[in-house]
Amino acid sequence: MALSGKVALVTGAAQGLGKGFSGILLKNGAKVALLDIDETVGKSAKADFDKEYGKDCTTFLTCDVTSDEQLKDAFQKTIERFGRIDIVSNNAGTVNEIYWKKMIEINLNAVIRGTFLALQHMKKDTGGEGGVIVNTASMAGLGPVRNSPVYTATKHGVVGFTRAVALASGLSGYGVRVNALCPGLVKTPLIDNLTNEMYGRFAHLSHFTDELKAGIIEVPVVAEKFLQLVTDESNNGAVMKITGDGATYMNFKDVLKNPLP
Ligand SMILES: NC(=O)c1ccc[n+]([C@@H]2O[C@H](COP(=O)([O-])OP(=O)(O)OC[C@H]3O[C@@H](n4cnc5c(N)ncnc54)[C@H](O)[C@@H]3O)[C@@H](O)[C@H]2O)c1
């Protein structure tokens, strides 16, 4: 998939991974709608991109992904501004085991909301032109994180949802691929601002995250792999694990061939 002339919508785009994904899409010729709940940091990200790519390549939209209305409105505004949507990155996320219901809203429910809106806009059977969705999961979507059981649940949810909806999209002839990205620990503001308290009742186990910091990954490394999931048209239902040693596709192939009825 060539990105020149394509339009992307990225949630949680103000900083961290979302900013990295937006940057690599812009570098490869796409236009990007930058969505984030944090207006100050979001506008600053847009100003950074303006300097490199010009003002017309991005738009910043203040949006809380947990709101049906705000996310729907942001999709609509992206279409009004750029005329189409081809790529959606459901990336906004948080770690907070104290406000765990809110975390489920952001990390899982909003990914489902964003995927359904993306399908609605891009699927071929209702006049769309097809496209690709990349959902940001985590290594916590592939195995247990000892101090963060609810975060683990949300990311397992993203992986399972992505694989199932990818099959459903394929079987329905939507022309929309859906993939998931599972990075290990990445150097972003999320990790820089983690406090022991955020682990709630398991704050005494916070040192397990500190131990992982030795192998922390840089954002551009993950952004390159994100780009692969966007552009490689042979990927649908792909779940890519990224560690300091590189990226591998999880081998779910047999399950994909024989899905449950
Ligand atoms: N950093 C890591 O180690 C790591 C590893 C694996 C997966 N992830 C996942 O990657 C994604 C991005 O994480 P990051 O590390 O870049 O985090 P970050 O905190 O650096 O950036 C996340 C962005 O999402 C925005 N956001 C939060 N809640 C929102 C909401 N309700 N509506 C809209 N925007 C909202 C924040 O304002 C922020 O700009 C998350 O889904 C996270 O779970 C992160």
Side-chain angles (χ1 to χ4, degrees):
M1 180 192 210
L3 295 190
S4 178
K6 300 282 194 254
V7 174
L9 178 152
V10 179
T11 72
Q15 58 188 351
L17 283 168
K19 189 176 179 191
F21 299 163
S22 302
I24 202 154
L25 291 167
L26 287 162
K27 190 175 159 193
N28 283 274
K31 295 198 161 127
V32 183
L34 311 161
L35 276 56
D36 207 286
I37 196 169
D38 189 330
E39 190 168 313
T40 310
V41 187
K43 285 187 170 164
S44 154
K46 167 149 176 60
D48 291 344
F49 289 137
D50 286 353
K51 279 183 219 143
E52 218 169 334
Y53 302 103
K55 284 187 190 312
D56 293 338
C57 285
T58 57
T59 182
F60 174 71
L61 301 167
T62 309
C63 172
D64 179 349
V65 292
T66 67
S67 157
D68 274 329
E69 218 168 81
Q70 288 184 35
L71 194 55
K72 197 174 165 193
D73 191 49
F75 271 77
Q76 201 49 49
K77 283 187 172 137
T78 303
I79 299 274
E80 281 163 21
R81 175 66 201 275
F82 292 129
R84 54 189 292 131
I85 298 177
D86 308 279
I87 301 156
V88 172
S89 159
N90 291 303
N91 165 76
T94 186
V95 176
N96 198 314
E97 295 285 319
I98 301 173
Y99 300 108
W100 57 269
K101 290 180 188 165
K102 182 75 184 167
M103 181 166 64
I104 295 170
E105 275 296 323
I106 299 170
N107 288 10
L108 179 57
N109 295 359
V111 169
I112 296 171
R113 177 179 295 110
T115 301
F116 286 163
L117 280 167
L119 287 176
Q120 188 184 315
H121 282 278
M122 301 192 297
K123 68 194 179 85
K124 287 183 172 170
D125 65 333
T126 48
E129 293 183 44
V132 59
I133 301 167
V134 179
N135 293 330
T136 306
S138 164
M139 288 274 282
L142 302 172
V145 179
R146 285 161 281 192
N147 52 29
S148 306
V150 182
Y151 185 76
T152 300
T154 63
K155 296 301 185 178
H156 272 68
V158 172
V159 169
F161 170 73
T162 300
R163 294 177 57 213
V165 84
L167 283 170
S169 176
L171 291 167
S172 307
Y174 286 174
V176 180
R177 298 180 290 113
V178 197
N179 298 315
L181 200 60
C182 294
L185 217 62
V186 189
K187 174 114 187 73
T188 67
L190 182 143
I191 299 300
D192 291 343
N193 299 327
L194 276 179
T195 61
N196 290 355
E197 289 70 40
M198 287 175 175
Y199 300 108
R201 69 195 71 209
F202 298 113
H204 58 286
L205 302 178
S206 61
H207 59 279
F208 282 117
T209 305
D210 296 334
E211 284 169 14
L212 298 173
K213 286 186 179 162
I216 201 158
I217 315 162
E218 297 293 332
V219 169
V221 174
V222 185
E224 284 291 343
K225 300 304 170 190
F226 163 84
L227 187 66
Q228 193 175 319
L229 286 180
V230 170
T231 55
D232 181 346
E233 302 202 21
S234 67
N235 284 324
N236 184 38
V239 177
M240 186 193 266
K241 177 171 101 173
I242 306 168
T243 66
D245 296 330
T248 46
Y249 288 103
M250 297 304 293
N251 186 2
F252 295 120
K253 282 202 175 75
D254 293 341
V255 185
L256 274 172
K257 269 188 223 144
N258 301 297
L260 294 171

